[in-house]
Amino acid sequence: MATTSLTTYTAKLTDGPLEGKTIATEFLPSGGPRPRLELAAPGGGKRYLYVRAAGADTEYSGTDANADRPSAVGYRYLETLFD
């Protein structure tokens, strides 16, 4: 069975205005999850800043090429940024 390199993971928004939502996001060029996410608010004019929370989920086995990458990472709301 061929293995492929995973390029995205699920960001779980655990609180704030987007609580309970999940989004697919790309790993950093270095291969790690992003430390922060800026997400456009519905209707525009502002963005929500989320920062990485402790812990991550993985669905990969130790022999999988993606075993060192998380499949999901939790993010906490930090602040609203106005444009």
Side-chain angles (χ1 to χ4, degrees):
M1 182 169 114
T3 58
T4 59
S5 179
L6 184 69
T7 59
T8 64
Y9 63 96
T10 300
K12 298 178 180 180
L13 309 178
T14 60
D15 60 0
L18 302 176
E19 180 177 359
K21 302 229 184 267
T22 60
I23 61 166
T25 192
E26 292 185 357
F27 286 99
L28 292 169
S30 64
R34 297 185 177 280
R36 56 188 272 156
L37 300 173
E38 287 187 29
L39 306 170
K46 59 185 174 182
R47 295 165 286 136
Y48 301 124
L49 177 60
Y50 279 80
V51 293
R52 186 173 171 198
D57 298 335
T58 185
E59 296 177 1
Y60 313 110
S61 68
T63 59
D64 190 300
N66 297 307
D68 61 337
R69 289 186 162 186
S71 57
V73 175
Y75 286 84
R76 301 210 46 147
Y77 172 73
L78 185 62
E79 66 179 322
T80 299
L81 306 169
F82 295 91
D83 295 330

